Amino acid sequence: MNYFDFEKLDNIKDVAGVLGCQPNFIQYVLDYPASCYKSLCVPRKRRSEPRIVYEVNDNLKNIHKNILTSIAAKVDFPEYVQGFVSKRSIVTNASIHLGRRYVLNLDIKDFFESIKIDKVVQVFEELLGCNQEVASIFAQVCTLNECLVQGANTSPILANLVCIELDKKLVEIGQEYGCSYSRYADDITFSGEEVPKKKKISRCIESYGFKLNPDKWKCQCRGKPQYVTGLTVFDEVMPRLPKQVKMQLRQLLYYAYKYGLEDHLEKIGIQDPDSIGLYILRIDGLIAFMYSVEPKCAYQFDTTWQAIRIKENLKQSRDPSKLFRKWQGQQSSSYPSFVAQGVQEVGSSSQVH
């Protein structure tokens, strides 16, 4: 994919040229933006109203990817910006807040929808060097209903750029209390021996056009569960997966090996072939993700999972040893001492099926 220089573009023809399309398509997106998006309702776990996200049509999605790639090649974000930045993840985000007395989590309400087109124009003009006409074109191509689109490839990086001054101010507030700060998209975390007061943070965020989500403010003290972007941070060495997740997976694998995968899934109400297939993919995805958080734990679960797949006449989805070595950098002749001594030990035979 080719990078382009925003500063060298003068008009819609130049924009179309670097994006690999015709000017009339860009004009069509400007005139009829809603036709390029399909709204989707995503249920939320604890709230009655669904989250609205958008699926971008393929032609516009390709344009967004070109814009994203060129922006990413031009900008660098400080360590406290953790969301949607290369080589950063929920794991690196949680790692900033390990072993602290207090961990404060908060959430910006309607994050993308709160970022209006005028702020996006400002990013393209002041940070990326576009002239006024070109900045307006890019901003319109990357927004819907005059705000950033939840589901568009360009929205996270543009949001990070819009939040540059907000992040700097929140870092300053954190420093006043001697605590660390990070932001993963709309999830903000402070941690330390002391954390800022709600009123001070709320005023700061509101001064930049955002609002706190009143349901997502949570201060967690040492001695009780502490989570950052879904991972526990009580350990001073590394983030870990929640115990509940590991316990449920351990139990599932034990029963699946002992009674058969389909038999166990039937007992928990998963019967039709499509649901079974999706559930298998979900287990595969969870274990693959675990390698990025707790490789040792993932290796144990994965050796059992692959044994179950073989027993069920399913093709192995991966080689656990290879994936483990990828994350740990170990030689092929070196095997860890914690390897499970047998699939029966992954679960407990005392559990009731």
Side-chain angles (χ1 to χ4, degrees):
M1 188 173 292
N2 295 324
Y3 305 129
F4 58 83
D5 191 339
F6 291 92
E7 297 177 3
K8 294 181 179 179
L9 309 179
D10 290 325
N11 49 47
I12 191 170
K13 184 177 179 181
D14 291 343
V15 171
V18 296
L19 294 177
C21 63
Q22 295 297 318
N24 59 358
F25 178 72
I26 298 294
Q27 190 61 55
Y28 176 81
V29 175
L30 302 185
D31 292 339
Y32 307 101
S35 66
C36 300
Y37 299 90
K38 178 182 178 182
S39 62
L40 303 171
C41 293
V42 180
R44 305 193 197 199
K45 289 183 179 179
R46 299 181 181 88
R47 296 172 65 179
S48 57
E49 71 276 13
R51 183 192 301 274
I52 304 298
V53 299
Y54 290 88
E55 182 180 330
V56 187
N57 74 26
D58 289 341
N59 291 329
L60 183 55
K61 185 183 293 185
N62 289 333
I63 286 175
H64 283 171
K65 287 180 179 178
N66 287 333
I67 297 171
L68 169 62
T69 303
S70 294
I71 296 175
K74 191 176 178 68
V75 301
D76 291 308
F77 292 103
E79 184 184 5
Y80 50 75
V81 180
Q82 285 285 314
F84 308 100
V85 179
S86 177
K87 297 183 180 179
R88 299 178 194 175
S89 66
I90 64 170
V91 180
T92 59
N93 184 47
S95 297
I96 296 172
H97 305 285
L98 297 175
R100 304 298 173 88
R101 183 180 181 185
Y102 292 106
V103 175
L104 172 63
N105 293 323
L106 54 124
D107 181 273
I108 297 176
K109 185 178 181 181
D110 300 326
F111 182 53
F112 290 124
E113 295 88 339
S114 297
I115 299 176
K116 304 304 180 184
I117 192 169
D118 59 322
K119 293 183 179 179
V120 182
V121 171
Q122 190 175 3
V123 162
F124 279 107
E125 276 192 281
E126 298 181 5
L127 300 181
L128 298 174
C130 296
N131 66 38
Q132 188 174 19
E133 178 185 349
V134 171
S136 178
I137 292 170
F138 276 122
Q140 290 179 74
V141 166
C142 295
T143 57
L144 178 64
N145 300 324
E146 297 197 339
C147 62
L148 287 184
V149 184
Q150 186 157 330
N153 290 321
T154 48
S155 291
I157 196 168
L158 289 172
N160 283 343
L161 291 171
V162 167
C163 289
I164 283 177
E165 294 304 319
L166 169 63
D167 285 327
K168 288 179 180 178
K169 188 60 180 178
L170 290 174
V171 167
E172 290 177 10
I173 291 174
Q175 289 172 344
E176 291 175 19
Y177 291 80
C179 64
S180 299
Y181 164 81
S182 71
R183 180 179 57 80
Y184 193 99
D186 56 350
D187 290 324
I188 290 173
T189 305
F190 291 91
S191 66
E193 291 299 303
E194 188 181 4
V195 291
K197 306 301 181 186
K198 186 174 184 178
K199 197 172 193 179
K200 188 162 193 171
I201 296 174
S202 182
R203 283 178 177 173
C204 175
I205 287 175
E206 287 178 6
S207 71
Y208 287 90
F210 297 104
K211 288 186 178 180
L212 284 179
N213 187 332
D215 300 325
K216 295 289 185 72
W217 178 278
K218 189 172 185 180
C219 189
Q220 308 158 98
C221 63
R222 186 184 295 151
K224 296 182 179 180
Q226 294 177 314
Y227 296 93
V228 174
T229 44
L231 302 177
T232 63
V233 293
F234 71 91
D235 191 335
E236 295 184 5
V237 177
M238 60 185 287
R240 297 188 182 277
L241 290 157
K243 288 183 179 179
Q244 187 70 16
V245 172
K246 291 184 280 190
M247 183 184 72
Q248 291 175 352
L249 180 58
R250 182 177 292 111
Q251 186 180 62
L252 183 147
L253 294 180
Y254 171 75
Y255 288 137
Y257 188 84
K258 183 173 182 179
Y259 298 104
L261 181 59
E262 289 194 16
D263 181 71
H264 173 63
L265 293 181
E266 184 178 346
K267 280 182 169 60
I268 62 175
I270 299 172
Q271 299 180 11
D272 67 274
D274 288 342
S275 297
I276 291 172
L278 288 172
Y279 204 86
I280 289 172
L281 288 174
R282 180 183 171 192
I283 297 170
D284 253 332
L286 174 59
I287 294 175
F289 167 70
M290 289 176 70
Y291 278 100
S292 67
V293 186
E294 294 188 63
K296 295 180 180 181
C297 186
Y299 184 90
Q300 291 176 308
F301 282 126
D302 208 10
T303 52
T304 303
W305 174 237
Q306 299 306 326
I308 291 170
R309 293 183 68 97
I310 292 171
K311 190 176 179 182
E312 298 288 327
N313 296 317
L314 298 172
K315 184 179 178 182
Q316 281 188 274
S317 54
R318 60 188 155 258
D319 182 339
S321 297
K322 282 185 178 179
L323 201 48
F324 177 80
R325 289 195 300 271
K326 174 185 174 182
W327 289 106
Q328 292 294 85
Q330 295 188 354
Q331 301 297 320
S332 59
S333 59
S334 174
Y335 289 91
S337 60
F338 54 79
V339 174
Q341 297 301 310
V343 290
Q344 293 288 351
E345 293 184 16
V346 173
S348 169
S349 59
S350 64
Q351 292 167 314
V352 179
H353 187 60

